[in-house]
C-alpha cells in the first residue's frame, strides 16, 4: 500500500497525555505546515473489551469527520503479546482508519514490565507474533515506531528485517535504546543504516530541535521523513519555520527566532486555552496541562529557567495568563 506520508514530511510525534484530539486540532489550526500527526497510544490491556465508541473517541470524532485532517493522522496502539489485539485491530480496520502505528519505543518501566513498548525489541519471536497478528487483522497502512534496541543494539538489523518480512510498511526510528531513555545524544547512524537495509520508508526521530537539525537529518540519513517529539513540544511551530525558510535554513538569525518564539508562545497557549474550554475542560485541568507543556518551551531565553519557574508556580489559570501577557518584558529582564 502506498505510504500516506509524503517524502520530505515533518511529522508531529505521538505523545501520551499530549496529542489528544483537542491538542491536534489546535496545532493544525495554528501551524498547518505539520505534514502528519498521530494519536497518543491507545493501550490495549489484557482481557479488556474496548468498544468501537472508545476507539473512535480516542482518535477524535471531530478529526475523523475532517477528511483532510483524518487522512494525515495515524492511529497508534500499544499492546503486549497477551492483549486481545485481533479484536481491537479488527474494529480499527472496520472503522476505516487508514493508518495503524504500533508503539515499539515506549521506555516506561510499567509498560515494559507488561511486555509492551520497547520490550518487544528484546524478543524476536514475541515481536513476530504481535506484528503478524496485527497484519492479519488490519487491512490499511501499517507502520511501527521503534528504538534501536532494548538494552543494546545487537538485534537492530534483525529487527529491521523482521519488521519488513512481517508486512510492516514504514518504520520510525528513535536513535536510542530503551535503556538509554532520553540520556545522551540520539545516534542518527542507525537511521542511516536502516535506509540502506530496507526499501521501506524510514522516518528519522531523536534530537531534532531546530530547522537546521531537520535539514541535517534529511541530508545525513537520506530518510523518507522526520518526526519530532520533544523538539515539537519545545517549538510547536518548527515545521512552519522550516517551510518558510526552506531555501535559507542556515541563514536563520537566532535573535529573530527568539523574537518569533515570544509571539508564537502567546499564540500557542491562547489558542489551546480556547480549544480546551470549548471542549469542556475546566481551568484547573487546563492549568495542569499548560504546566506540562511549559518544561522546555521557555528554555532558549537566557533567563529561561527563571521564566519557566514563574509559569510552573502559577496557582490559577489567570496568573499563568498574566505572565503570558508579560512575556515580551520578562525575556528582557
Amino acid at each position: 500500500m502506498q505510504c500516506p506520508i509524503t517524502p520530505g514530511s515533518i511529522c508531529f510525534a505521538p505523545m501520551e497525555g499530549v496529542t489528544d484530539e483537542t491538542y491536534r486540532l489546535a496545532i493544525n489550526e495554528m501551524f498547518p505546515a505539520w505534514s502528519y500527526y498521530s494519536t497518543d497510544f491507545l493501550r490495549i490491556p489484557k482481557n479488556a473489551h474496548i468498544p468501537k465508541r472508545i476507539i473512535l473517541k480516542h482518535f477524535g470524532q471531530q478529526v475523523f469527520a475532517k477528511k483532510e485532517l483524518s487522512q494525515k493522522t495515524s492511529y497508534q496502539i500499544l499492546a503486549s503479546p497477551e492483549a486481545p489485539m485481533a479484536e481491537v485491530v479488527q474494529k480499527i480496520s472496520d472503522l476505516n482508519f487508514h493508518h495503524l502505528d504500533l508503539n515499539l519505543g515506549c521506555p516506561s518501566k510499567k509498560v515494559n514490565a507488561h511486555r509492551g513498548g520497547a520490550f518487544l525489541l528484546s524478543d524476536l519471536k514475541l515481536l513476530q507474533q504481535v506484528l503478524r497478528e496485527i497484519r492479519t487483522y488490519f487491512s490499511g497502512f501499517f507502520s511501527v515506531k521503534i528504538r534501536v534496541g532494548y538494552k543494546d543494539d545487537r538485534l537492530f538489523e534483525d529487527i529491521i528485517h523482521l519488521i519488513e518480512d512481517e508486512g510492516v510498511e514504514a518504520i520510525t526510528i528513535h536513535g536510542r535504546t530503551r535503556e538509554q531513555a532520553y540520556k545522551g545524544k540520539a545516534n542518527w547512524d542507525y537511521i542511516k543504516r536502516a535506509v540502506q537495509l530496507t526499501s521501506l520508508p524510514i522516518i528519522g526521530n531523536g534530537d531534532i530541535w531546530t530547522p537546521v537539525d531537520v535539514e541535517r537529518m534529511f541530508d545525513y540519513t537520506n530518510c523518507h521523513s522526520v518526526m519530532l517529539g520533544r523538539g515539537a513540544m519545545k517549538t510547536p511551530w518548527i515545521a512552519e519555520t522550516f517551510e518558510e525558510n526552506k531555501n535559507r535554513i542556515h541563514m536563520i538569525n537566532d535573535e529573530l527566532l527568539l523574537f518569533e518564539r515570544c509571539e508564537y508562545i502567546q499564540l500557542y497557549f491562547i489558542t489551546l486555552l480556547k480549544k480546551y474550554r470549548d471542549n469542556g475542560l475546566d481551568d484547573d485541568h487546563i492549568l495542569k496541562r499548560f504546566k506540562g507543556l511549559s518544561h522546555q518551551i521557555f528554555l532558549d531565553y537566557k533567563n529561561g529557567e527563571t521564566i519557566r519557574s514563574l509559569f510552573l508556580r502559577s496557582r490559577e489559570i489567570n496568573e499563568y495568563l498574566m505572565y503570558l501577557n508579560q512575556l515580551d518584558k520578562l525575556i528582557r529582564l
Side-chain angles (χ1 to χ4, degrees), residues 228-239:
L228 283 71
R230 292 179 301 155
M233 295 294 293
K234 183 179 180 183
T235 311
W237 53 90
I238 190 171

Side-chain angles (χ1 to χ4, degrees), residues 26-42:
I27 290 293
N28 193 62
E29 178 182 309
M30 288 183 282
F31 311 121
W34 286 102
S35 309
Y36 216 78
Y37 303 99
S38 177
T39 67
D40 50 339
F41 64 71
L42 175 73

Side-chain angles (χ1 to χ4, degrees), residues 7 31 63 67 77 89 105 235 238 271 296:
F31 311 121
V63 173
K67 186 175 180 180
I77 61 172
V89 170
T235 311
I238 190 171
T271 305
Q296 298 192 49

